[in-house]
Amino acid sequence: MRTAPTILHLDMDAFYASAEQAAKPSLRGKAVVVGGLGPRGVVATASYEARRFGVHSAMPMGQARRLAPNAAYLVPRFRLYREISEQVMALLRELSPLVEPLSLDEAFVDLEAGETAWDARSAEAVGLKLRGDIRRVTGLSGSVGLAVSKMLAKIASEEAKPDGLLLIPPGTERELLGPKSVRILPGVGPATGDHLRRAGIHTVEEIAEAGEDELVRMLGKAHGSHLHAMALARDERPVVAERDSKSVSVEDTYDVDIHDRVRVRMEVQRLADRCVERLRAAGRSGRTVVLKVRRYDFSTLTRSETLRGPTDDPGVVREAAARLLEGVDTTGGVRLLGVGVSGLADFTQEDLFAQAAAASEEAAAAVVEEAEETVGPVEDVVEEPAARRWMAGHDVRHAEFGRGWVQGSGVGRVTVRFETPYSVEPGRVRTFSVDDPLLEAADPLPLVEVAAG
C-alpha cells in the first residue's frame, strides 16, 4: 500500500474549448461549444463560460443551442488537439516512465517510479512545476490531483478545477470522501446513483456504512464489492504505462440515414481508404479488417475478416470491407459506418495480396460504374470537394488577407474572421463566395508562438 501521495492525475481544463479560445482572440472569455453541428451532433466540450448556461459534454447540440443561443459553435480540430496532447504527454514522460494516458487531455503519472517525488512536499512541488510547464509550452491550463491512489488523484483533480492543484494528505481520505455525493466515485453514473438513492444512500460515508454484503445484494458481486472498496478509499490499481494501439479505425455518423445501397458501398470504400491512410501514417499494417454498421434502429453490427497476413494495401482493405458489407442488411437505413484494422504489425506481406489488390481495383470500378448508372455521373455526387466545405472554427488562408478561421458558411457564402493565436486583439470579419479562388484551407498554428532561432 502506497503511503505517499505520489500518484498524479492531470486533466486539461475544458480542453477542446480552451484550445479554441486560445487560438481565437475574439472568443477569449466567451461561451464556446465544440462538437458535431449536425442534427444529431453532441457536445464534445463546453467552455466554462458556456457551462454557466447549463451546457455540458454529451448533451445534444440542439439542446445546447437552446440553452446558449449566443455561444460560438465550432467543429472539432482534432489535429490541433493531438499536437497539444503530444506536447503535454512529453512533459509527463519527463517525470516518470509510468504514464497512463486516458484520453488526449487526461493521464495518470506514477511519480515514485520516476523518482521525482517521494513525499507530499516533493509531490506538490512537481505538480506546481508541471502546471507552469504546460502553460508555457501550450498556453493552456491543466488541473492536477495528487494522492496515494488513482481514484483519489482523479477526484482531487476534479476538485481542483479549473486551473488548480489539490493534494490529499495520506490518512485524510475517508474524511474528505465521506460527505461527498455517491456520484463522485468512479463508476457511479445516473442509473447506479438512482438505485442507491432509492435505498436511502446519498453520500460516500453511507455507502461505507451499508457494508459490502448489502451493496453486493443491491448491485451484484463485482460492482458492489468494488464500490464498497472505493468508499473506504481502497484502490490498489497500478499506473500502467502506455501500450501500443491495438487497432486503427475511422467512422462517420450521418445527419440523415443512408438508404441507398450504392451510397453505403461508396461510403465504406471511402472509410477504408481513410483507415489505411491512418495505418500508413503510423507505420503499421494489420491482419483483421472490421466493419461497423449502426442501423436506423440504433442496433450496431460488427463484422470482421482476418487476412492471411498483415497489409496496408488500400485495395485489400476495401475489398475485405465490401465483402463484410454484403452480409449486413441495410435496407432500413444506416446512421453510422466504420472501418477498422486490427492485429497490427510493423510489416506487410504484399506479395500475398497482389491478386487481391488487382481484384479490388476492379470491384471499385464496378461500384463507381453502378453509381453512375443509378444516380448519374459520379461528379454530380461528389462535386463539392472536402476542401471547399468550410467548417465552423477551421483554419483558412486568404491570399490577400492572410490567416483566419471560418465563423460560418451557407447560401454560397463563407464568413471568415482574420486573426491568429498571436493577434493582440480580435480580427476583422469578411465574407466571400464559397468558391473564392484566393481562399484555401490551412493547417492549425501552434498556440504558443515559437521564437525565431
Side-chain angles (χ1 to χ4, degrees):
M1 175 98 178
R2 193 181 298 259
T3 58
T6 51
I7 298 295
L8 181 150
H9 180 262
L10 171 71
D11 196 350
M12 300 295 288
D13 300 322
F15 183 44
Y16 299 169
S18 294
E20 298 299 345
Q21 289 175 317
K24 302 171 172 64
S26 58
L27 297 184
R28 293 170 188 169
K30 307 287 183 60
V32 174
V33 181
V34 180
L37 304 188
R40 290 174 176 162
V42 297
V43 175
T45 307
S47 70
Y48 286 99
E49 295 84 357
R51 294 180 190 187
R52 297 191 189 108
F53 295 96
V55 180
H56 58 77
S57 299
M59 172 181 285
M61 192 60 76
Q63 182 181 355
R65 288 185 184 276
R66 289 190 293 272
L67 292 171
N70 297 320
Y73 289 86
L74 308 176
V75 176
R77 294 188 295 161
F78 287 109
R79 177 174 176 177
L80 172 64
Y81 310 149
R82 281 192 292 268
E83 290 173 353
I84 300 171
S85 177
E86 289 169 3
Q87 292 175 310
V88 172
M89 296 303 165
L91 291 173
L92 298 182
R93 293 188 188 98
E94 292 177 3
L95 301 177
S96 173
L98 291 185
V99 176
E100 183 179 342
L102 304 180
S103 61
L104 289 177
D105 61 339
E106 187 180 3
F108 288 110
V109 185
D110 188 332
L111 299 179
E112 187 175 321
E115 299 182 351
T116 50
W118 48 91
D119 58 14
R121 185 174 179 178
S122 57
E124 187 171 22
V126 169
L128 290 170
K129 183 178 184 301
L130 173 64
R131 291 176 58 230
D133 288 343
I134 289 173
R135 187 175 291 279
R136 172 179 54 82
V137 172
T138 71
L140 303 179
S141 67
S143 295
V144 170
L146 293 156
V148 297
S149 70
K150 290 167 68 172
M151 178 193 76
L152 291 166
K154 182 174 175 62
I155 289 173
S157 68
E158 287 295 324
E159 293 286 298
K161 281 182 170 292
D163 192 19
L165 180 149
L166 176 64
L167 183 148
I168 301 178
T172 67
E173 297 89 352
R174 291 284 302 275
E175 181 182 352
L176 171 75
L177 290 177
K180 301 289 187 184
S181 164
V182 296
R183 291 292 300 275
I184 199 173
L185 297 179
V188 181
T192 301
D194 286 345
H195 200 79
L196 293 170
R197 179 180 53 77
R198 288 194 295 271
I201 298 174
H202 302 87
T203 67
V204 174
E205 183 59 33
E206 288 171 344
I207 291 178
E209 292 173 350
E212 182 175 356
D213 291 343
E214 177 63 15
L215 291 168
V216 167
R217 186 190 66 79
M218 292 171 54
L219 305 172
K221 175 65 176 175
H223 196 20
S225 297
H226 181 60
L227 191 59
H228 186 253
M230 288 192 298
L232 297 176
R234 297 174 185 165
D235 180 17
E236 300 297 329
R237 295 173 300 157
V239 175
V240 180
E242 182 178 14
R243 299 187 178 94
D244 286 341
S245 175
K246 297 180 180 179
S247 64
V248 173
S249 63
V250 296
E251 61 182 43
D252 276 347
T253 301
Y254 304 99
D255 293 340
V256 179
D257 290 347
I258 303 176
H259 293 83
D260 181 15
R261 182 73 173 183
V262 174
R263 170 140 183 243
V264 172
R265 292 177 192 166
M266 294 178 68
E267 288 293 317
V268 168
Q269 285 196 358
R270 183 179 61 82
L271 290 167
D273 289 341
R274 283 174 52 198
C275 181
V276 171
E277 286 177 8
R278 289 192 181 182
L279 195 66
R280 288 181 168 179
R284 310 299 295 276
S285 59
R287 284 190 79 217
T288 302
V289 178
V290 181
L291 175 71
K292 178 180 177 181
V293 180
R294 180 166 296 148
R295 299 189 291 189
Y296 68 98
D297 58 357
F298 288 88
S299 62
T300 302
L301 304 177
T302 303
R303 301 287 184 267
S304 64
E305 176 181 323
T306 299
L307 307 171
R308 291 173 291 172
T311 184
D312 65 353
D313 188 304
V316 174
V317 176
R318 280 200 304 263
E319 183 186 20
R323 284 197 298 270
L324 294 169
L325 179 62
E326 291 306 311
V328 178
D329 180 12
T330 63
T331 52
V334 170
R335 60 184 291 117
L336 177 147
L337 290 168
V339 174
V341 176
S342 61
L344 301 188
D346 296 321
F347 62 93
T348 62
Q349 293 182 345
E350 294 178 357
D351 55 314
L352 296 179
F353 297 103
Q355 293 180 346
S360 69
E361 294 299 329
E362 295 177 5
V367 170
V368 172
E369 182 178 351
E370 182 178 352
E372 290 177 339
E373 293 175 354
T374 305
V375 296
V378 174
E379 289 78 11
D380 291 345
V381 180
V382 296
E383 177 63 27
E384 185 180 20
R388 310 308 291 181
R389 292 180 58 212
W390 307 110
M391 292 185 286
H394 280 222
D395 300 89
V396 293
R397 181 189 297 106
H398 192 276
E400 180 180 351
F401 301 106
R403 298 286 303 236
W405 58 277
V406 176
Q407 279 201 324
S409 63
V411 200
R413 313 291 286 177
V414 55
T415 300
V416 177
R417 184 180 287 273
F418 289 98
E419 62 184 5
T420 73
Y422 328 127
S423 300
V424 177
E425 56 186 28
R428 298 183 64 182
V429 176
R430 294 183 181 274
T431 300
F432 308 92
S433 169
V434 293
D435 57 1
D436 189 322
L438 300 182
L439 188 66
E440 62 180 358
D443 294 331
L445 289 170
L447 299 185
V448 175
E449 191 168 16
V450 180

